[in-house]
């Protein structure tokens, strides 16, 4: 023996250790595979030795090779051997290897149950630790079932090191063995208040994972989490909790209100990670949907966040502000935002800011004067990509709101006059887009211009030719409109006709520049108008008054089109929009050709070709649906960061030029909006005063009644602000068939579905099942000291006498001489009878022969079928029919084919094997009844015809029913 | 919950893999190969997050080594990034300015550290100190064992 050890250790000195292996592989880059195959041969030799140290070293090397992609599944048993070593050093390696290599279909896992249990209860916390760690990687449903109890015990271990691991592993156990959730939950909840912060955060993690899947079952924990959120200083935990509340708030709106305060505190605290701040803002935006008022009171704080140095926080805050804007605070918020625009760094953020401002205003602005001035102010933004957005808003407002046209036109004229400031660098400056709007507005509504001549002159400057083509085109066209207006003004005046002729001359001088444009549209329009003006000039020289006719060219007013206008147009009779205008081409040509060339046009294939497109269509629909669901989910998910649409566009040129706004332009760019804010305030005051007057009047009329109602006049509410101008603001409508995205269909295969267990009202009543076991001695020796033991599951426990430990066996109260049998009864307490289960057990006994006695062991399995929970109970037919009528029972059916036994045999079988009783029998049809130990009613209607038996069954517990039916099926398949 | 964590080099060599759900060997290989291709093909300026199959991938490059985690759709990418960084910090503390070679030659230690930090795909302890303390003590235990073992042999 000693020699063997020495031999082993000498061998070991020549063994490669892990470092040697790694080095070797690095040195054999060219023939790595060959080198490794020799190494594997060595390892195989090492594994054959008895020395555990050698084995562990070999397993360690295998783990490395496994990572390189080599198959090591053949060594699974050796891994178990190393796991079972009593030395921590080797055990650690064994478990590591197991966690890397084992998966659910690894057979040897079954052998590990007892070893793992032993390690879990080891006095050394590190043994327990590695066992838990390993288990977390390879836990199977069997292991979960068998070890759930042990792990649950560890959740209350004295060492926090073990407690926190056990708590986290429990989640894995729940996933593999959902039945364990209910009994383990109270303890898990306890851990939320564990004195050790690690354990606490572990419990938070697990509950967050659970709650995220089935939030409604965890609402009752909200107060506890609320407490944690206000007291915890661990940012990691805070993140999880905020996340959890994100899932809970939609279910319990009252939570939102309570959350505001602590969330604000979190944002305030300088210590917070930026992530927490970010999440806080996100959570607030969720609360905003249900409790806008409570968030609005934190406006200042959110505005402060706009100054944060982190861009994502600024963007979040911006989002939030966007949601908070109301008619009342619109001006104030936009004013603040405008200040930020000036300071803002980074084009992405600035662009975002700009779009948000426009978005906010376009939805809610009711003072259009103010809005136009805001838009004009925005045009001085350098290098923004959203020029077209501003432009379209300007057009929108000017077209829709008649009352402000004069003002808009004046503003636009100034813009046109100062166009050179905007067009400093047309290539990179998207802002020149606003000139498009400016030119069009000045042209279309030229009657409002104070100095049309000056504007016309500004529009025909040579510099205009550097603008993008589509803008030039608008310039040219609108110059013509302006020209008409100018002519009308000049001809109406008694002044001499030369002035009008000079105007024509101006156009004739300037337009040729545009006629040479490379842009088709500019050129076409310019040459057309040039000819027109030349003709006009001829007429003018003959002293003909032309203004009327020129104006007629552009007569007619442009009205905004109602969004539903198209819908209201009736479809002309005889027009069917669903009919093909041309027959669609059949199939793709290339496919046809391909088939022809192969010459294998088979009918079957032909058919599949026709059906195929339909399938893809369904798929596409399905995909679209899924995409929608996903989007909705993402939209509701605060942790999903959407790619901002603007960031996807890539700017083509990023050459930065010096700021082209020289000092003389300062006066022009003075924030005009401010003065409108003031005006607006005055207007509101006036309105209020007017109302007050009216009210007073009313009050006087109403006398007593009015006085009583005085108290509720309260602060100015939103409705009190009347819009300054009538605006048709179009709100977007949802399509009629749009569905609320709340109940996103859950994946039926989701493993977490099984964890949807209502934890608040669990029936903790235990039911007893008596198991009678017949022991028969078939050998020639005397058997004594039998000890019967069953491994408890969470659901079923062997009832042991008081004072016995949970793993103690029960002594069988008799001895067995050879050839004798006897019966012993054991009582099990069962919680849940819906599922069948198998309990593992062992019987230990002493076999006594004449000269010696040996201790032996017998493993067995106790199969608790669902049938075994049924008790034969008679039932009268009237009670039976009442039961069926009650509608509480859920149905299920079963068909058995090829049963060729007489009907009464069949019934007898069901009665005998499955504890049913016959209620009534008519010919080949019978109704049967049974009851479970928990009082579930189970009714069967059995019919037979042509060797086929159909069973329609009903029960108030569908799970139980399904399992009983499966068992009945099994009974008949065995006969 | 984190599904798995991979460490691989710029050259596409796997240095560490940890799977928090039992996965068949063949699937593991396929996923690792596919993911390495995807991640290695990405430019340095690109986002650290990407959607892959039904998972979200969060990765970060430290010197020549990519740390790559797959998390579920509901998980937060930012916190995963923090997890990666914390793991790197732990390695750094343990090995003393860690480099790729440390992880290659002491890969089992790297696993032990990871196992003390994450368990079953969840953070087990957020305190660097307590993680390192647990490792040190387990190492100490291992030392004692090896020592006694040597003595036995002598």
């Amino acid at each position: 023996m000693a020699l063997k050890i020495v031999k082993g250790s000498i061998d070991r000195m020549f063994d490669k250790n892990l470092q040697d292996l790694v080095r070797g592989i690095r040195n054999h880059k060219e023939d790595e595979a060959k080198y490794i195959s020799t190494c594997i041969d060595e390892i195989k030799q090492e594994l054959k030795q008895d020395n555990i140290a050698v084995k562990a070293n070999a397993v360690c090397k295998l783990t490395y090779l496994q990572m390189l992609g080599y198959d090591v599944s053949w060594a699974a048993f050796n891994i178990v051997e190393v796991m079972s070593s009593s030395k921590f050093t080797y055990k650690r390696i064994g478990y590591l290897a197991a966690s890397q290599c084992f998966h659910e279909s690894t057979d040897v896992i079954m052998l590990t149950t007892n070893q793992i249990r032993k390690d879990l209860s080891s006095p050394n916390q590190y043994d327990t630790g590695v066992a838990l760690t390993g288990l977390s990687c390879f836990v199977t449903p069997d292991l979960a079932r068998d070890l759930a109890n042990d792990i649950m015990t560890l959740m209350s271990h004295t060492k926090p090191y073990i407690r926190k691991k056990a708590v986290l592993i429990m989640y894995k156990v729940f996933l593999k063995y959902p039945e364990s959730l209910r009994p383990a939950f109270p303890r898990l909840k306890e851990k939320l208040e564990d004195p050790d912060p690690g354990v606490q955060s572990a419990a938070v993690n697990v509950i967050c994972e659970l709650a995220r899947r089935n939030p409604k079952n965890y609402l009752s924990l909200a107060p506890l989490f609320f407490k944690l959120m206000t007291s915890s200083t661990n940012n990691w935990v805070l993140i999880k909790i905020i996340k959890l509340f994100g899932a809970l708030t939609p279910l319990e709106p009252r939570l939102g209100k309570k959350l505001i305060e602590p969330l604000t505190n979190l944002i305030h605290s300088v210590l917070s990670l930026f992530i927490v701040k970010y999440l806080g803002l996100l959570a607030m935006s969720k609360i905003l949907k249900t409790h806008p008022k409570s968030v609005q009171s934190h406006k200042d704080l959110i505005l402060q966040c706009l100054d944060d140095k982190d861009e994502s926080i600024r963007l979040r805050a911006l989002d939030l502000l966007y949601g908070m804007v109301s008619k009342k605070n619109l001006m104030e918020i936009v004013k603040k935002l405008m200040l930020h625009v000036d300071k803002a760094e980074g084009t992405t953020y600035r662009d975002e800011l700009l779009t948000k401002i426009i978005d906010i205003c376009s939805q809610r602005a009711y003072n259009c004067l103010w809005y136009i001035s805001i838009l004009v102010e925005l045009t001085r933004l350098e290098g923004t990509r959203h020029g077209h957005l501003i432009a379209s808003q300007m057009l929108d407002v000017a077209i829709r709101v008649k009352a402000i046209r004069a003002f808009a036109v004046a503003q636009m004229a100034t813009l046109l006059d100062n166009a050179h400031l905007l067009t400093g660098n047309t290539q990179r400056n998207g802002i020149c887009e606003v000139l498009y709007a400016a030119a069009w507005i000045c042209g279309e509504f030229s009657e409002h211009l104070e100095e049309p001549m000056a504007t016309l002159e500004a529009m025909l400057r040579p510099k205009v030719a550097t603008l993008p083509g589509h803008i030039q085109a608008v310039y040219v066209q609108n110059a013509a409109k302006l020209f008409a207006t100018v002519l009308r003004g000049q001809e109406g005046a008694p002044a001499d006709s030369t002035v009008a002729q000079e105007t024509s001359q101006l156009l004739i001088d300037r337009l040729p520049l545009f006629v040479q444009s490379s842009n088709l549209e500019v050129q076409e329009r310019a040459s057309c108008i040039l000819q027109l003006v030349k003709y006009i000039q001829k007429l003018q020289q003959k002293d003909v008054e032309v203004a009327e006719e020129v104006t007629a060219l552009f007569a007619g007013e442009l009205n905004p089109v109602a969004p539903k206008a198209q819908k209201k147009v009736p479809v002309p009779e005889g027009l069917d929009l669903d009919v093909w205008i041309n027959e669609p081409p059949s199939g793709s040509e290339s496919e046809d050709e391909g088939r022809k060339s192969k010459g294998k046009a088979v009918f079957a294939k032909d058919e599949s070709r026709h059906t195929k497109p339909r399938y893809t269509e369904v798929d596409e629909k399905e995909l679209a649906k899924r995409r929608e669901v996903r989007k909705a989910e993402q939209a509701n998910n605060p942790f999903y960061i959407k790619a901002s649409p603007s960031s996807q566009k890539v700017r083509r040129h990023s050459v930065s030029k010096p700021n082209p706004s020289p000092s003389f332009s300062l006066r022009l760019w003075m924030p005009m909006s401010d003065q409108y804010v003031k005006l607006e305030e005055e207007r509101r005051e006036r309105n209020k005063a007017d109302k007050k007057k009216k009210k007073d009047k009313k009050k006087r009329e109403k006398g007593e009644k009015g006085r009583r109602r005085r108290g509720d006049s309260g602060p100015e509410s939103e409705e009190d602000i009347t819009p300054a101008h009538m605006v048709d603001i179009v709100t977007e409508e949802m399509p009629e068939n749009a569905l609320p995205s709340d109940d996103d269909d859950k994946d039926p295969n989701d493993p977490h579905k099984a964890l949807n267990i209502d934890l608040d009202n669990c029936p903790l009543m235990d039911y007893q099942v008596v198991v009678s076991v017949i022991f028969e001695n078939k050998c020639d020796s005397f058997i004594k000291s039998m000890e019967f033991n069953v491994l408890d599951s969470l659901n079923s426990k062997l009832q042991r006498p008081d004072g016995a430990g949970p793993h103690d066996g029960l002594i069988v109260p008799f001895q067995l001489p050879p050839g004798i049998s006897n019966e012993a009864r054991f009582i099990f307490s069962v919680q849940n009878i819906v599922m069948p289960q198998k309990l593992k057990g062992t019987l230990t006994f002493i076999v006594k022969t004449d000269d010696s006695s040996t201790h032996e062991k017998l493993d067995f399995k106790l199969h608790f079928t669902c049938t075994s929970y049924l008790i034969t109970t008679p039932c009268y037919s009237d009670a039976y029919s009442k039961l069926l009528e009650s509608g509480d029972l859920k149905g299920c059916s079963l068909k058995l084919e090829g049963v060729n036994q007489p009907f009464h045999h069949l019934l007898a079988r069901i009665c005998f094997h499955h504890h049913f009783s016959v209620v009534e029998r008519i010919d080949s049809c019978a109704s049967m009844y049974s009851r479970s130990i928990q009082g579930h009613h189970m009714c069967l209607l059995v019919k037979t015809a042509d060797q086929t038996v159909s069973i329609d069954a009903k029960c108030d517990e569908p799970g139980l029913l399904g399992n009983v039916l499966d068992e009945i099926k099994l009974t008949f398949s065995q006969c | 919950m984190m599904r798995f964590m991979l460490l691989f080099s710029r050259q596409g060599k796997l240095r560490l893999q940890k799977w928090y759900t039992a996965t068949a060997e063949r699937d593991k290989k396929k996923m690792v190969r596919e993911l390495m291709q995807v991640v290695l093909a990405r430019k340095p300026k690109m986002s650290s997050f990407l959607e892959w199959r039904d998972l979200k991938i969060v990765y970060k490059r430290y010197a020549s080594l990519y740390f790559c985690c797959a998390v579920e759709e509901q998980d937060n990418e930012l916190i995963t990034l923090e997890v990666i960084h914390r793991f790197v910090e732990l390695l750094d503390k343990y090995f003393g300015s860690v480099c790729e070679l440390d992880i290659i030659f002491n890969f089992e230690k790297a696993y032990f550290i990871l196992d003390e930090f994450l368990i079953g795909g969840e953070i087990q302890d957020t305190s660097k100190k307590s993680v390192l303390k647990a490792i040190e003590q387990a190492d100490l235990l291992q030392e004692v064992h090896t020592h006694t073992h040597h003595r036995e042999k002598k």
Side-chain angles (χ1 to χ4, degrees), chain B residues 3 31 51-57 71-74:
Chain B
R3 294 283 192 83
M31 287 165 91
E51 285 183 21
W52 181 78
R53 299 193 179 184
D54 59 333
L55 299 172
K56 286 196 290 198
I57 304 298
V71 294
E72 285 166 6
E73 216 180 335
Q74 304 94 326

Side-chain angles (χ1 to χ4, degrees), chain B residues 74-128:
Chain B
Q74 304 94 326
D75 283 307
N76 187 338
E77 299 92 334
L78 294 176
I79 208 169
T80 314
L81 213 51
E82 284 290 314
V83 166
I84 291 179
H85 189 71
R86 179 56 57 96
F87 180 47
V88 175
E89 284 178 329
L90 286 168
L91 290 172
D92 202 59
K93 273 259 161 60
Y94 184 85
F95 289 111
S97 59
V98 66
C99 64
E100 196 181 335
L101 279 181
D102 284 321
I103 295 169
I104 297 172
F105 281 102
N106 300 290
F107 92 118
E108 87 278 22
K109 298 278 186 207
Y111 276 122
F112 295 149
I113 296 170
L114 185 58
D115 286 343
E116 286 299 334
F117 176 44
L118 295 176
I119 199 166
E122 294 285 345
I123 304 162
Q124 157 177 196
D125 209 312
T126 54
S127 146
K128 257 184 279 185

Side-chain angles (χ1 to χ4, degrees), chain A residues 9 12 18-19 22-23 26 32 51 53 60 63-64 66-70 86-90 92-93 96 99-104 124-126 132-133 136-138 161 164-165 168-169 171-172 175 198 201 205 209 212-213 234 236 239-240 243 274-275 278-279 630 633-634 637 639-641 752, chain B residues 1-2 13-25 28-29 49 51 56 72-79 82-83 86 101 103-109 111-112 115-126 130-131 133-135 137-139 141-143 145-146 148-150 152-153:
Chain A
S9 62
R12 213 189 150 216
L18 178 66
Q19 271 75 20
V22 176
R23 214 166 283 133
R26 291 172 71 82
E32 192 184 292
N51 189 330
C60 188
T63 317
Y64 187 78
Q66 188 264 348
M67 186 170 67
L68 296 185
Y70 291 88
S86 57
K87 297 246 163 58
F88 176 71
T89 318
Y90 311 132
R92 199 182 190 190
I93 289 168
L96 173 64
S99 66
Q100 294 301 105
C101 312
F102 287 6
H103 47 89
E104 278 189 20
N124 178 349
Q125 60 166 332
Y126 294 102
L132 284 172
T133 309
S136 75
C137 292
F138 57 75
Y161 176 78
K164 73 184 175 203
K165 282 185 199 274
L168 287 169
I169 305 291
Y171 178 62
K172 290 275 167 173
L175 285 180
S201 91
N205 275 350
E209 282 292 326
R212 204 162 67 184
R213 264 78 192 213
N234 184 338
W236 301 77
I239 291 171
K240 287 271 175 181
K243 226 164 132 179
F274 102 92
I275 294 179
Y278 176 89
L279 289 178
R630 206 171 110 240
E633 218 171 61
Q634 286 170 354
N637 185 349
F639 309 101
Y640 189 83
I641 301 166
H752 305 287
Chain B
M1 194 188 86
M2 191 183 289
K13 281 258 172 26
L14 195 60
R15 295 301 180 208
L16 210 74
Q17 56 169 340
K18 191 84 198 175
W19 297 77
Y20 292 108
T21 43
T23 317
E25 210 53 52
K28 280 190 196 172
K29 270 189 207 165
F49 314 131
E51 285 183 21
K56 286 196 290 198
E72 285 166 6
E73 216 180 335
Q74 304 94 326
D75 283 307
N76 187 338
E77 299 92 334
L78 294 176
I79 208 169
E82 284 290 314
V83 166
R86 179 56 57 96
L101 279 181
I103 295 169
I104 297 172
F105 281 102
N106 300 290
F107 92 118
E108 87 278 22
K109 298 278 186 207
Y111 276 122
F112 295 149
D115 286 343
E116 286 299 334
F117 176 44
L118 295 176
I119 199 166
E122 294 285 345
I123 304 162
Q124 157 177 196
D125 209 312
T126 54
S130 77
V131 172
K133 202 179 122 203
I135 299 277
Q137 286 188 337
D139 279 351
L141 201 63
Q142 187 162 1
E143 289 291 303
H145 276 165
T146 3
T148 47
H149 181 78
H150 283 309
E152 270 168 26
K153 276 191 299 182

Side-chain angles (χ1 to χ4, degrees), chain A residues 599-619:
Chain A
K600 278 179 187 169
V602 191
F603 283 117
K605 216 171 181 182
D606 212 41
E607 226 169 55
S608 75
R609 210 185 89 225
H610 280 297
T611 47
K612 221 175 183 174
R614 213 175 300 151
Y615 281 127
T616 51
E617 191 185 272
V618 169
D619 276 359

